[in-house]
Amino acid sequence: MKNIAVVGYGVIGKRVADAINVQDDMSLIGVCDVISDWRIQNAVRKGYAVYAATPEAEKEMKAANIAIEGSMQDILEKVDLVVDCTPKNIAAKNVEIYKGQGIKFIVQGGEKHKTTGHSFSAENNYSTAVNLDATRVVSCNTTSILRTLTALKKADLLDYARGTLLRRATDPWESHLGGIMNTMVPEKDIPSHQGPDAQSVDPDLDVITSAVKVPETLSHMHYWNVKLRKKASKEEVLNALKTSSRIKFIHYDQGLVSNNTIKEMFLDMGRPWGDMYEVALWEDMLKVVGDELFYAYVVDNQAIVIPETIDAIRALTGIETDAHRSIEKTNASLEIG
């Protein structure tokens, strides 16, 4: 049993905390943040120990009648690993603290690869993370790219891949603070950062991405054109993709025609926040023409990295050295599949 702390109790942090809390081989010691509003108050309601990241935050929390277990230094002395879910400018400073105290840590995809020297995707490179001191769980879009292309690569079908990403404007909870409206904003640079980011996990991938920011907040959507290594049938491609337990096949002709209908399905399934940990890929839209493959899928920007983070904890701490066993365990605990 390994003791884990979550630093940063926001969109990702609260989900990571809940996911840790349902594992039987790790223990959530507490969460640490600077906020004192409804977000951290919900952590208290869940029974999580709350730690203040700064002296100023401690004063504000006490003023809001939030019971404080201690400081960030206090929680770091109790844990084997920290999952840092803070914004990147804060995380970069925290990393120096973790290194100074010799604590293993995981950062999120907003950080640069050089922050840890290792980037993680469970189905691609789990074994390379075993017993490391640190890793970076790549971003939501990059996670989806690696899941799908890794499945094709393992089946010896992948030659190269070209993808267009329709990116949500902002997270749903803060859409009142910013984002775009009545417009679409293409990213100037091709490739967009997701392709090179996927190569930080798997340098052998021949992948180029372009991205467009669109005025919605529910998810991202990807369209892919993949050159196959040989002519293949649709059945061969689907069989390859189905080797990933974290790709969920959906059907346009069953009414799942948009990201809001997909979100509604996961809410009806009883998932917390309607979270979709899987890549939702349209099986009936997927098309193979000779040695070319075309498909589209939806990515839940708030949830897809949660199972990856749990697997990364196991790899770094050495709780489980086998990727397949960790993935199965995580999937079962989060009711994936």
Side-chain angles (χ1 to χ4, degrees):
M1 182 75 71
K2 297 295 183 179
N3 294 331
I4 313 297
V6 173
V7 175
Y9 193 74
V11 169
I12 299 298
K14 66 184 180 182
R15 289 170 164 84
V16 170
D18 281 6
I20 293 170
N21 204 41
V22 296
Q23 308 305 312
D24 62 11
D25 54 0
M26 58 188 78
S27 176
L28 179 67
I29 297 304
V31 300
C32 182
D33 211 311
V34 297
I35 55 176
S36 56
D37 60 14
W38 59 270
R39 291 168 291 176
I40 202 71
Q41 289 166 11
N42 277 328
V44 174
R45 292 187 185 98
K46 290 180 178 182
Y48 298 158
V50 174
Y51 292 77
T54 66
E56 294 76 15
E58 182 176 354
K59 292 177 183 177
E60 292 177 7
M61 288 179 178
K62 288 180 177 178
N65 294 318
I66 296 170
I68 307 297
E69 294 292 329
S71 65
M72 182 170 168
Q73 181 62 40
D74 292 329
I75 194 172
L76 294 183
E77 292 174 355
K78 300 176 181 179
V79 300
D80 301 294
L81 180 144
V82 174
V83 182
D84 191 301
C85 302
T86 62
K88 59 184 179 181
N89 291 333
I90 299 170
K93 296 176 182 177
N94 290 344
V95 161
E96 296 307 312
I97 298 172
Y98 308 146
K99 288 180 178 178
Q101 296 194 203
I103 299 173
K104 291 177 182 283
F105 63 92
I106 295 169
V107 296
Q108 301 303 305
E111 301 304 313
K112 300 294 185 184
H113 173 75
K114 64 182 181 181
T115 305
T116 60
H118 187 274
S119 295
F120 182 87
S121 176
E123 292 177 334
N124 185 287
N125 71 340
Y126 184 102
S127 63
T128 66
V130 173
N131 293 319
L132 289 183
D133 290 331
T135 193
R136 177 182 71 116
V137 173
V138 293
S139 73
C140 49
N141 282 314
T142 305
T143 295
S144 74
I145 293 168
L146 286 161
R147 284 187 193 166
T148 51
L149 297 188
T150 295
L152 295 172
K153 180 182 176 182
K154 287 180 177 178
D156 198 30
L157 289 174
L158 178 65
D159 187 356
Y160 61 79
R162 307 293 182 252
T164 298
L165 288 59
L166 305 179
R167 298 185 56 212
R168 61 94 179 96
T170 187
D171 285 325
W173 87 272
E174 57 183 3
S175 57
H176 64 294
L177 300 176
I180 61 173
M181 185 175 180
N182 197 35
T183 189
M184 293 184 289
V185 184
E187 291 192 12
K188 178 183 176 183
D189 294 326
I190 300 176
S192 59
H193 75 272
Q194 292 86 4
D197 199 31
Q199 291 168 331
S200 73
V201 173
D202 189 343
D204 293 333
L205 289 180
D206 184 346
V207 56
I208 296 175
T209 52
S210 53
V212 182
K213 188 182 290 186
V214 295
E216 57 86 27
T217 66
L218 287 180
S219 70
H220 307 298
M221 185 178 293
H222 290 212
Y223 274 86
W224 284 89
N225 178 8
V226 173
K227 175 70 162 54
L228 301 173
R229 288 175 58 84
K230 59 184 178 181
K231 290 184 178 180
S233 66
K234 179 173 180 175
E235 183 180 18
E236 286 178 276
V237 170
L238 287 173
N239 285 339
L241 292 170
K242 287 175 181 179
T243 62
S244 169
S245 62
R246 292 176 180 170
I247 297 175
K248 182 174 180 63
F249 290 90
I250 58 174
H251 296 85
Y252 202 90
D253 63 6
Q254 291 182 355
L256 297 171
V257 299
S258 57
N259 61 351
N260 62 294
T261 56
I262 297 166
K263 182 73 170 181
E264 189 71 12
M265 178 182 71
F266 278 88
L267 284 164
D268 286 352
M269 288 166 58
R271 287 277 182 89
W273 299 286
D275 281 350
M276 181 173 70
Y277 306 119
E278 306 92 332
V279 175
L281 191 150
W282 276 285
E283 182 172 355
D284 49 355
M285 188 188 298
L286 182 145
K287 190 173 184 64
V288 181
V289 181
D291 61 357
E292 286 189 280
L293 166 63
F294 303 87
Y295 59 88
Y297 60 72
V298 167
V299 180
D300 188 335
N301 45 286
Q302 300 182 112
I304 190 173
V305 300
I306 305 307
E308 307 295 318
T309 303
I310 298 302
D311 291 327
I313 292 171
R314 288 203 184 92
L316 262 61
T317 59
I319 296 173
E320 178 55 72
T321 59
D322 182 85
H324 181 71
R325 286 197 293 265
S326 179
I327 290 168
E328 277 196 336
K329 193 174 184 67
T330 302
N331 288 356
S333 69
L334 299 180
E335 299 184 358
I336 298 171

